[in-house]
Amino acid sequence: MTYLFFFCGHAGTGKTTVAKHLAAPLMRATGMPFCLLDKDTLYGPPGAAAIGALTGNPNDRDSPLYLQHLRDPEYRGLIDTARDNLELGVSALVVAPLSREVRERRLIDRAWLGVADDVAIRVVWVHTSEALAHERIAARGHPDDAWKLAHWETYRERRFEPADDIRGDLLMFDSSAPTAADYDALLAQLVDRPRATGAMLPPLPV
């Protein structure tokens, strides 16, 4: 068995931080290698070069042109890379917003993902309050976030909380102020093992 774990959510929720924090404990718990596939790391530089050539602004990740023409190929490449690793026996932690795919229930669709029945799939929805997400985005000062901060009222219309009909697909994780017990519980849910006394993960500042 291999594992395909998605860490999804809106900007500023701490998806990458949570995934990185769990990578080593997951390898210990499963005895298997994992790779971390972060969309910003894989597609940040080439995406910036492409959108910069088209619009003159390499940080324009919220324009209609990017959303209509570059978003989906980047996401498809991310999932295809995860599948290549799974076929080699390497489990994958995939970090990306993937909000549209969550709403459309694509991330539990094995045919759409192209993965075998022996791949265990989990989708973690990392969330926090809008105010805290805004605070984190402003604090990190990334150029890709400039449009979001300048047009927050428009951007916030793209934010959503998963509805009841899809929550059953997800492991909900509140990253506002997670404790060691919160991370231990998520680890147990990911690998379907009982929580062991004294085996809690250390707390993670986010």
Side-chain angles (χ1 to χ4, degrees):
M1 174 184 287
T2 50
Y3 299 88
L4 175 57
F5 296 151
F6 292 99
F7 290 82
C8 310
H10 299 300
T13 55
K15 302 180 293 296
T16 301
T17 304
V18 173
K20 286 183 175 180
H21 185 69
L22 287 173
L26 281 167
M27 286 189 278
R28 290 194 296 268
T30 64
M32 299 185 64
F34 276 78
C35 65
L36 176 70
L37 302 176
D38 187 319
K39 178 180 176 294
D40 288 343
T41 302
L42 286 172
Y43 291 103
I51 199 68
L54 292 169
T55 70
N57 180 0
N59 304 310
D60 189 8
R61 296 305 186 87
D62 293 280
S63 68
L65 188 150
Y66 172 81
L67 296 174
Q68 292 171 15
H69 299 289
L70 295 178
R71 177 200 184 274
D72 289 353
E74 288 185 358
Y75 278 62
R76 187 73 256 174
L78 185 68
I79 291 168
D80 290 348
T81 303
R83 187 177 62 249
D84 284 348
N85 279 275
L86 293 167
E87 291 172 353
L88 294 171
V90 178
S91 296
L93 307 177
V94 177
V95 182
L98 288 159
S99 55
R100 184 190 307 167
E101 289 73 15
V102 168
R103 286 196 300 268
E104 296 175 355
R105 308 186 75 182
R106 295 285 194 180
L107 302 185
I108 59 169
D109 184 341
R110 291 182 182 275
W112 187 81
L113 293 169
V115 300
D117 291 341
D118 62 348
V119 176
I121 302 170
R122 305 283 187 274
V123 183
V124 181
W125 183 258
V126 184
H127 62 98
T128 189
S129 69
E130 180 183 332
L132 183 53
H134 186 281
E135 179 183 322
R136 289 174 176 173
I137 292 170
R140 69 190 183 190
H142 196 286
D144 286 353
D145 295 323
W147 186 93
K148 294 181 181 68
L149 293 172
H151 304 86
W152 188 260
E153 289 304 312
T154 300
Y155 167 71
R156 70 193 300 267
E157 294 177 3
R158 304 207 317 247
R159 292 175 52 90
F160 80 103
E161 287 301 316
D164 291 343
D165 61 337
I166 61 173
R167 281 198 174 219
D169 303 340
L170 309 174
L171 300 177
M172 304 293 292
F173 188 79
D174 186 345
S175 66
S176 302
T179 65
D182 294 329
Y183 287 105
D184 187 56
L186 179 57
L187 176 65
Q189 288 178 296
L190 287 169
V191 299
D192 289 334
R193 67 166 175 76
R195 295 174 64 184
T197 302
M200 292 194 299
L201 301 177
L204 172 66
V206 293

